[in-house]
Amino acid sequence: MGQTYDVIIIGAGPAGLTAGIYAARADLSTLLIERYGAGGQILNTYEVDNYPGLPGITGGELGYKISSHLDKFNVARQMAEVLAIDFCEGANKVITDTGEYIGKTVILATGNSPKKLGLPGEAEFTGAGVSYCATCDGAFFKKKTVAVIGGGDVAVEDAIFLARGCEKVYLVHRRDELRAAKILQKALFELKNVEVVWDSIPKEVAGEGSVKGLVIENVKSHEGKTLDVSGVFIATGNDPNCSYTDGVKKDEKGYVIADETCVTSAPGIFAAGDIRSKHLRQVSTAVADGANAVYSVQEYLLQKGM
Ligand code: NAP
C-alpha cells in the first residue's frame, strides 16, 4: 500500500490547496487528492471581486494561481474520487477509485455542490437547457432569453453575467427581496435586460428535446404562468460533498461539524472550507480554514507523538 502520509488532503479548492501549502511548509509528508483538477467552485465564478489584494480576478485565474503556488512545494497530487474512509487512529485508510492511501491525519476539503430542485423536467433537460453554472454554459445562450432561479449572491452574479450576452434574463425569486449583497443588487437593477420576477417559485421546466419554458407560480396570488426561455440556470444554494464521511458528526444541513480549529468528531480528521459548518462560505474563509486545519494537524501529531 506504500507510504503512510502525515496528512492526506481531500479536495483541491481554495481550502485544500491552502492546506497543501501550509502542510508542505510545515514539512509534513502530504498527499492531495483531487477529483476533477484544482480550483473547486471558484472555477464556476466569472469574477471574484472580494478576495483581498486581487480585485477583479477571474475565478479561473485565482484557482490557477493558488494551484501553481502549491506546485512550488513537494506535495504529491493524485487525481481520484474518494469513495470512503476507514477511520483508524494514526492510520486512516482513504479508499478511492484509483487505489487506497493511508494518512495519520485527513483533512476533508471537498466543499459543496449546487442544490438540485427536483422539478419536473429538471433532470431530463440538464445539459439541454438546464444548467447549474452560468459561467460554464452561458455562452450557449447568446442572444436568447433565459431564467435564473434564486436570490442569493450566486443567482444575482449569474444574472449579471448572463445579461452581457443574452437578449433577456428573468431572475425568479421566491420572496420580495433579494438575499444577495447590496453592491450586486445595485448592479443588477441597473441592467435594462433583466427582469426580476418576485414572489415566484418554479414548478416545471417545460420543453421538447430542449428547454422551451419555465412554469412558475406566484406564491401570493397563486397565479401560474410560463416564461418563454431556452435556458434555466438554477442557483439556489449548495449541498455539502461529504457522502464519503460516514462516522463524522454533521449538522442538520449535513455539513461536517467543526469550529475554527477544523477539528471534527473523529480523531485525526479535520474539516476545512465549505464542507464545514460555518457562518460564511467565501474564498477568504476557506483559505483561512486551510491554514487552521494544518495548524491543528500539527498539534494533533505532536500530542500523539506521531
Ligand atoms: P444562498 O446565499 O444560500 O442563496 C440561495 C438562494 O436560493 C436564496 O435566495 C434562496 O431564497 C433561494 N432558494 C433556496 N432554495 C430554493 C428553492 N427550493 N426554490 C427557490 N429558491 C430557493 O446561496 P448562493 O447564492 O449559492 O451562495 C452560497 C454562498 O456563497 C453564500 O454564503 C454566498 O454569500 C457565497 N458567495 C459569495 C459571493 C461573493 O461574495 N462575491 C459569490 C458567490 C457566493 P431565500 O433568499 O428566500 O432563502
Side-chain angles (χ1 to χ4, degrees):
M1 189 163 297
Q3 89 179 87
T4 296
Y5 292 94
D6 290 327
V7 58
I8 295 179
I9 300 162
I10 306 172
L17 293 169
T18 304
I21 293 167
Y22 275 73
R25 288 174 52 87
D27 216 14
L28 301 175
S29 61
T30 306
L31 172 68
L32 181 106
I33 298 177
E34 45 198 311
R35 186 166 54 166
Y36 304 132
Q41 282 189 88
I42 50 171
L43 299 185
N44 302 338
T45 303
Y46 177 67
E47 187 178 299
V48 180
D49 204 24
N50 54 5
Y51 191 73
L54 299 169
I57 191 165
T58 64
E61 252 183 292
L62 183 56
Y64 175 76
K65 272 182 190 285
I66 307 176
S67 181
S68 309
H69 188 166
L70 176 63
D71 285 336
K72 267 181 60 183
F73 303 103
N74 182 27
V75 166
R77 295 176 73 155
Q78 174 68 43
M79 295 285 276
E81 172 151 11
V82 174
L83 306 173
I85 303 175
D86 267 355
F87 298 114
C88 170
E89 260 211 273
N92 298 285
K93 191 196 286 178
V94 178
I95 302 159
T96 79
D97 57 354
T98 63
E100 297 177 352
Y101 305 92
I102 304 287
K104 293 177 191 167
T105 64
V106 179
I107 297 177
L108 315 172
T110 41
N112 54 30
S113 297
K115 217 187 262 176
K116 310 271 185 301
L117 288 177
L119 301 172
E122 179 181 346
E124 186 188 343
F125 295 116
T126 293
V130 171
S131 168
Y132 300 86
C133 177
T135 44
C136 317
D137 300 326
F140 299 120
F141 299 90
K142 277 221 156 67
K143 306 238 181 323
K144 301 204 169 136
T145 297
V146 299
V148 177
I149 302 169
D153 287 332
V154 171
V156 172
E157 281 184 350
D158 284 358
I160 294 169
F161 174 78
L162 289 164
R164 293 187 189 135
C166 292
E167 164 103 11
K168 175 159 186 160
V169 178
Y170 292 104
L171 181 71
V172 178
H173 182 42
R174 63 184 179 185
R175 293 187 293 129
D176 59 5
E177 64 176 338
L178 299 171
R179 176 185 296 279
K182 288 285 182 272
I183 189 167
L184 290 173
Q185 294 194 33
K186 187 168 176 288
L188 181 86
F189 295 143
E190 278 167 8
L191 297 171
K192 300 264 182 302
N193 61 341
V194 176
E195 179 181 334
V196 183
V197 186
W198 300 105
D199 297 315
S200 296
I201 52 167
K203 299 296 280 184
E204 182 184 347
V205 181
E208 223 184 276
S210 64
V211 170
K212 304 274 187 264
L214 177 67
V215 183
I216 58 171
E217 183 185 299
N218 185 293
V219 290
K220 290 183 176 157
S221 67
H222 300 291
E223 257 173 59
K225 71 171 172 182
T226 300
L227 303 174
D228 290 331
V229 295
S230 46
V232 174
F233 290 85
I234 298 175
T236 53
N238 298 287
D239 285 324
N241 296 323
C242 52
S243 56
Y244 63 93
T245 61
D246 282 354
V248 179
K249 278 198 185 136
K250 319 274 179 11
D251 69 12
E252 69 289 348
K253 289 185 177 159
Y255 289 92
V256 176
I257 296 174
D259 64 13
E260 197 197 7
T261 62
C262 300
V263 173
T264 73
S265 60
I269 310 295
F270 303 83
D274 283 5
I275 195 173
R276 174 169 89 77
S277 54
K278 55 158 63 176
H279 188 50
L280 180 65
R281 294 190 172 83
Q282 297 278 298
V283 182
S284 49
T285 63
V287 160
D289 280 4
N292 273 311
V294 171
Y295 190 70
S296 296
V297 162
Q298 286 174 272
E299 282 184 331
Y300 172 86
L301 292 174
L302 204 64
Q303 268 167 21
K304 300 283 172 185
M306 287 182 197

